[in-house]
Amino acid sequence: MRTLNLGILAHVDAGKTSLTERLLYSAGVIDEIGNVDDGNTQTDTMALERRRGITIKSAVVSFAIDGVTVNLIDTPGHPDFIAEVERVLSVLDGAVLVISAVEGVQPQTRVLMRALRRLHLPTLIFVNKIDRRGAAGERLVPAMAEKLAGRFVPMGRVGDAGERGARFVPYGSDDPSFRAALIDRLADDEAFLRAYVDDESTMSFERLRAELAAQTKNARVHPVFFGSAITGAGIDELVDGLTELLAASDGADNGAASGNGGADPASGLVFKVERGPAGEKIAYVRMFSGTIQVRDRVPSSTEKITAIGVFEHGSALAGASLVAGQIGKVWGLGDVRVGDWIGAPRPPAPYQHFSPPTLETVVAARDPGDRAALHVALSQLAEQDPLINLRQDDRRHEVFVSLYGEVQKEVIQATLADDFGVDATFRETTTICIERPVGVGTAVETIATEPNPFLATVGLRVEPQPVGSGVDFRLGVELGSLPLAFINAIEQAVRETLGQGLRGWPVVDCAVTLIRSGYWARQSHAHGTFDASMSSTAGDFRNLTPLVLMAALVGAGTVVCEPVHRFRLDVPADLVGSAMPALVRLGAIPLSSV
């Protein structure tokens, strides 16, 4: 059976979760449609999600249509939880972007569409809530083309928009206006345009639909369906569009399990990690090729897969293997983290689709006796969401977490209390800054020379690099002049030390070069054993490197940089004159006005 891994994305309150419920109901997976307000939907399983009526964690459900297993991933719509969407995008075959017929294109809609375009991910548009008062129908399409910068093909019209009985009326093969609009949208493709110009008579409606499917699968056009997740209007047409217009995987590349031979090596991406009832790690894996089986050992690890759950007919069912195209749960991988590859890694794709968090806060246990429990709890939350970027300031004994917004802070606080029994307090949210070197600085500490207390020689040069280049560690000494274990210790210490620069912020966009090195070889007294007092160890280099690096940073100097956001502000034309001075007073730099 073919598999389609489908993401449901939207601005908050556009109706994603309600659409998921309706699709499951239409496929016969559930007998009754849940309600977000009542807290009884299939994908909002967390108690906190049910109380708040919002999606916080991505959730996978499955259903079958026309011989295709659809793994549907419901993602959060609130911008504070964009990290969940980030991880899901890397494992999708296609997406449905939900837009409210009442509110239209909203800020998060634009953010999501930009990411979908960058990934060239086939995307259908579902305009929801056509039964709501104030709902617009096809009038939304020109606004979508303007604000989302894509080619959109309405697949029908809305009847009785804004009324309870609103319905979706699909265009048929005998509709000349639809045929003309379809040709106009598809004509951006040179091959299609050439074929149309050469012989217009060969352009049957069936051929136009086939071309529409081909260009949709290549993410060149985006078919638009209208409907209501509450009443079910337009759902059947959307379901038909899923199988006709989006590409499903047939699992043909599912070679044998890793280590057992086969045409294609096992390759799967971990996009979500959660904890089971007993505290065990459960990895959500999308297989891109090959097969993994229970009792397989993960390459480059001693860990063994102990159980597999494959998403079929609603939820994850116990299975013996997970094949190419499928999504499943994997047990037994205690060290696994989000973003890890199971088996052979595939060519890297752009993983960061959205801006990283720009806010942070200090977390503390209200009861000092819960300090250890708080650290364990935050570590487990960081496994599930690496972008909270848990970091500890050992000098001030403070723990920091990164945030996208205040709602995320409230959710973390409630999760610590509900799931871990830790009552935590949060300091006022502050902006995350970074430091960049402004010059070149060098420093050297020589072995057996005061005040160096370590049996190691380390010399480092720090120099600035282009914005966005990160941290580059380089060797400026002859390869082989220092044991590999010592070089690795230096690099590890460099990266850890740069997490907190001269002014307390992470140092980025720099190159650190090892320019001097020296060590005392392994020695011992006569007829004695190894003596650390006269032999260099990795610990000597690990402890000396931060001192040398900070001295080099002092020589280079750093500048503190605050995050800069680019945004678009829509205001009535008669208020532009008042808005511009206000923006300037707030520190904004207007680039243009339309």
Side-chain angles (χ1 to χ4, degrees):
M1 179 178 281
R2 295 185 301 151
T3 304
L4 172 64
N5 297 303
L6 180 72
I8 304 290
L9 293 78
H11 186 97
V12 66
D13 289 335
K16 282 180 307 71
T17 303
S18 297
L19 176 60
T20 299
E21 289 289 306
R22 176 60 69 171
L23 290 172
L24 293 176
Y25 178 78
S26 298
V29 173
I30 57 177
D31 298 324
E32 186 177 350
I33 298 175
N35 187 284
V36 173
D37 295 332
D38 295 338
N40 58 358
T41 60
Q42 296 294 304
T43 52
D44 287 346
T45 56
M46 294 173 58
L48 194 57
E49 291 178 316
R50 296 181 185 275
R51 287 203 305 268
R52 288 179 169 267
I54 61 172
T55 301
I56 296 172
K57 297 289 184 182
S58 59
V60 184
V61 289
S62 181
F63 60 91
I65 46 175
D66 297 335
V68 176
T69 295
V70 178
N71 291 324
L72 191 153
I73 309 180
D74 184 21
T75 63
H78 198 288
D80 280 15
F81 308 107
I82 195 69
E84 287 290 314
V85 184
E86 177 98 71
R87 292 184 282 277
V88 166
L89 287 178
S90 301
V91 301
L92 297 180
D93 299 315
V96 174
L97 182 62
V98 184
I99 299 175
S100 169
V102 180
E103 288 82 11
V105 175
Q106 297 172 278
Q108 188 77 344
T109 316
R110 293 177 173 179
V111 172
L112 294 169
M113 193 65 199
R114 283 199 297 268
L116 294 170
R117 282 204 312 271
R118 284 197 298 269
L119 291 169
H120 302 290
L121 196 65
T123 303
L124 306 183
I125 308 296
F126 183 72
V127 179
N128 192 24
K129 302 183 180 182
I130 62 171
D131 58 322
R132 292 275 299 276
R133 181 176 298 177
E138 304 92 289
R139 299 196 313 272
L140 275 180
V141 177
M144 290 162 50
E146 176 191 353
K147 297 178 179 180
L148 301 180
R151 288 192 290 144
F152 300 95
V153 181
M155 302 301 291
R157 60 180 179 82
V158 178
D160 300 324
E163 299 180 12
R164 184 67 177 177
R167 64 197 186 281
F168 176 61
V169 183
Y171 293 131
S173 58
D174 57 348
D175 191 320
S177 61
F178 176 54
R179 176 184 172 87
L182 196 55
I183 292 173
D184 181 60
R185 299 295 194 282
L186 299 176
D188 274 11
D189 181 83
E190 291 187 10
F192 171 80
L193 180 60
R194 190 179 305 112
Y196 175 77
V197 172
D198 287 345
D199 191 353
E200 180 181 349
S201 63
T202 64
M203 288 297 164
S204 64
F205 185 75
E206 289 71 23
R207 183 171 179 182
L208 290 177
R209 291 283 296 202
E211 181 65 25
L212 174 64
Q215 292 198 30
T216 301
K217 291 170 183 176
N218 290 327
R220 300 186 58 128
V221 298
H222 307 290
V224 181
F225 296 85
F226 300 84
S228 169
I230 298 300
T231 67
I235 297 300
D236 290 342
E237 291 78 10
L238 175 63
V239 169
D240 291 341
L242 295 180
T243 54
E244 177 191 359
L245 302 172
L246 297 181
S249 169
D250 60 7
D253 55 350
N254 59 343
S258 56
N260 296 334
D264 296 289
S267 179
L269 179 64
V270 177
F271 65 94
K272 178 178 177 177
V273 172
E274 66 180 17
R275 293 274 178 170
E280 75 279 14
K281 271 190 182 180
I282 305 172
Y284 284 67
V285 179
R286 155 72 196 266
M287 292 301 296
F288 287 94
S289 67
T291 302
I292 56 174
Q293 298 177 347
V294 175
R295 294 186 295 278
D296 275 355
R297 289 193 182 276
V298 177
S300 70
S301 172
T302 59
E303 296 181 310
K304 183 184 294 186
I305 296 173
T306 58
I308 290 176
V310 183
F311 280 96
E312 290 180 356
H313 308 299
S315 58
L317 306 177
S321 62
L322 193 65
V323 305
Q326 290 182 329
I327 285 178
K329 295 179 173 183
V330 177
W331 282 261
L333 308 181
D335 296 330
V336 73
R337 296 183 65 86
V338 170
D340 287 351
W341 285 93
I342 305 300
R346 292 170 68 86
Y351 183 72
Q352 186 168 310
H353 313 301
F354 307 104
S355 300
T358 57
L359 303 172
E360 71 174 4
T361 185
V362 175
V363 188
R366 196 178 299 276
D367 181 352
D370 287 339
R371 188 173 298 168
L374 174 64
H375 191 271
V376 171
L378 288 174
S379 297
Q380 290 193 16
L381 293 181
E383 292 172 355
Q384 301 170 25
D385 182 1
L387 287 183
I388 72 171
N389 191 30
L390 181 66
R391 68 181 183 92
Q392 184 163 331
D393 186 335
D394 293 327
R395 289 181 296 182
R396 292 182 289 185
H397 304 288
E398 294 176 336
V399 178
F400 293 80
V401 294
S402 299
L403 301 168
Y404 276 103
E406 293 299 312
V407 174
Q408 186 184 11
K409 181 202 286 187
E410 295 172 11
V411 167
I412 292 175
Q413 186 175 33
T415 303
L416 290 173
D418 295 347
D419 296 353
F420 299 95
V422 176
D423 186 7
T425 62
F426 289 76
R427 195 177 294 171
E428 183 180 357
T429 303
T430 57
T431 302
I432 296 175
C433 298
I434 59 173
E435 295 182 43
R436 289 193 176 100
V438 294
V440 178
T442 60
V444 178
E445 288 286 348
T446 306
I447 195 169
T449 303
E450 293 293 338
N452 180 7
F454 304 106
L455 300 184
T457 294
V458 174
L460 297 173
R461 180 175 67 245
V462 177
E463 51 194 322
Q465 291 294 292
V467 173
S469 58
V471 175
D472 187 14
F473 178 75
R474 303 170 179 174
L475 287 182
V477 298
E478 184 178 350
L479 193 62
S481 62
L482 196 65
L484 181 60
F486 296 169
I487 293 176
N488 291 339
I490 293 172
E491 180 175 2
Q492 180 183 7
V494 163
R495 296 189 181 279
E496 290 177 355
T497 303
L498 290 178
Q500 193 167 344
L502 301 179
R503 295 171 175 83
W505 298 106
V507 181
V508 299
D509 301 335
C510 66
V512 180
T513 305
L514 179 64
I515 57 175
R516 287 275 300 279
S517 66
Y519 71 104
W520 284 355
R522 184 183 180 91
Q523 301 180 60
S524 62
H525 296 287
H527 308 293
T529 57
F530 167 71
D531 188 349
S533 66
M534 52 193 299
S535 307
S536 299
T537 66
D540 289 309
F541 288 89
R542 195 175 295 112
N543 292 324
L544 179 59
T545 297
L547 304 178
V548 178
L549 180 55
M550 293 305 288
L553 274 176
V554 170
T558 63
V559 60
V560 176
C561 302
E562 293 185 347
V564 177
H565 292 277
R566 182 187 180 118
F567 63 93
R568 172 173 170 167
L569 183 65
D570 291 331
V571 297
D574 58 339
L575 295 180
V576 172
S578 303
M580 285 296 186
L583 289 171
V584 172
R585 286 196 301 271
L586 292 171
I589 304 175
L591 300 179
S592 64
S593 60
V594 180

